[in-house]
Amino acid sequence: MFENFSLWPESASSLSGSIDALYLFLIGVSLFFSLLIVAALGLFSVRYRRRPGHVATPVEGSLPLELLWTGVPLVIVLFVFVWGTKLFVRAQTAPEEAMRFTVTGKQWMWKIQHPSGQSEINTLHVPVGQPIVLTMISEDVIHSFYVPAFRVKQDVLPGMYTSLWFEPTKTGTYHLFCAEYCGTKHSEMIGSVVVLDPSEYQAWLDGRPSERDPLLAGALLFQNLRCDTCHYSGPATGPAGSPRGPDLAGRFGSDVTLSDGQTVRFDERYVRESILEPARRLSSGFQALMPSYQGQVSESDVLALIAYLKSLKAPRSRP
Ligand code: CUA
């Protein structure tokens, strides 16, 4: 419908049609009332203009009229509120079976890592018809990941993970923008999302070496940083006697009881915080012995460690 109308971006995700519908409705309502008001303005200025022999009669007020102009807008805005909220919830809730990518933003580029380890800069290749979740973080300032054709935009923050999901419905190449002013070359922080048929995506993956499988990289880091001296992470390693740190195998996604009695979800955010500020939310029953790894690990390293911890799913018995 808007193919040749460059003001309107292409519609290429499972969400874009619904977002356009709401947007068009808002434009329609605004247009209708703008025209109505301008028409009434014109009509009244002719009809009630100053003429010799006519005396104005003051209007004291009209209850039915006031109820009407309060009630009608109320119904319209509540309708838009419910519609918008439903759409917002849909846009925020990623399907469970989604493929998970990680995105690191930095001045001035996007670094993207595929679930199978391949990474690329400023380009994101994805298969069509598959929900995609991006877990994103910034190495420096605030950026914003914006793909107009998918109608998705999400701030990418330093020090905190944010996420975004979409399901591309059409193969093709789409613009990727940074939508938050982030310094001199903000306008050059652009890229593209390439949507491929699943077989082509597989071929693309096969054609690229997995330079850094996040899982392997994470396992290596876990050893090199000597995490395993305190944290038992699998049947083969693990300290004897009473461990200084909590057992990490199979923990991802579960709840952790903290030393102050509160409960927190053992997720990306908690793992990242525990690596950088271990004493902040201490697991119950342990002392604050762990040093901070701030400055020793990059955001990509943290993501690799998270990938490794996620993989430690098998429940096991203590030795
Ligand atoms: Cu990154 Cu603007």
Side-chain angles (χ1 to χ4, degrees), residues 93-121:
T93 321
E96 278 300 312
E97 73 280 10
M99 282 173 80
R100 289 169 185 276
F101 290 64
T102 58
V103 175
T104 316
K106 60 189 272 191
Q107 285 168 323
W108 288 273
M109 59 189 245
W110 297 106
K111 187 179 169 232
I112 289 148
Q113 186 142 49
H114 291 247
S116 43
Q118 286 83 349
S119 61
E120 47 183 336
I121 304 280

Side-chain angles (χ1 to χ4, degrees), residues 116-263:
S116 43
Q118 286 83 349
S119 61
E120 47 183 336
I121 304 280
N122 292 342
T123 314
L124 167 59
H125 287 77
V126 289
V128 71
Q130 165 75 45
I132 310 285
V133 177
L134 308 180
T135 300
M136 308 187 290
I137 194 157
S138 166
E139 299 255 11
D140 37 49
V141 299
I142 302 176
H143 304 278
S144 178
F145 193 95
Y146 179 35
V147 186
F150 300 159
R151 312 290 189 267
V152 289
K153 173 155 59 177
Q154 172 63 52
D155 276 5
V156 179
L157 309 173
M160 187 182 146
Y161 291 118
T162 54
S163 73
L164 171 155
W165 85 275
F166 57 83
E167 182 181 328
T169 50
K170 258 165 71 180
T171 55
T173 303
Y174 306 101
H175 288 295
L176 158 64
F177 295 111
C178 175
E180 182 74 49
Y181 181 67
C182 55
T184 317
K185 291 187 181 169
H186 157 69
S187 63
E188 288 172 37
M189 195 169 163
I190 50 179
S192 45
V193 180
V194 183
V195 181
L196 302 168
D197 279 323
S199 57
E200 286 173 28
Y201 175 69
Q202 197 49 53
W204 181 88
L205 282 182
D206 294 343
R208 282 181 81 91
S210 171
E211 308 95 43
R212 209 179 116 125
D213 183 337
L215 217 152
L216 272 178
L220 213 61
L221 275 167
F222 198 83
Q223 274 184 17
N224 292 346
L225 297 169
R226 307 300 304 142
C227 310
D228 52 356
T229 13
C230 300
H231 293 287
Y232 190 86
S233 69
T237 58
S242 84
R244 279 177 289 177
D247 183 344
L248 299 178
R251 285 298 281 284
F252 202 92
S254 64
D255 287 332
V256 182
T257 309
L258 303 180
S259 48
D260 62 2
Q262 283 187 307
T263 317

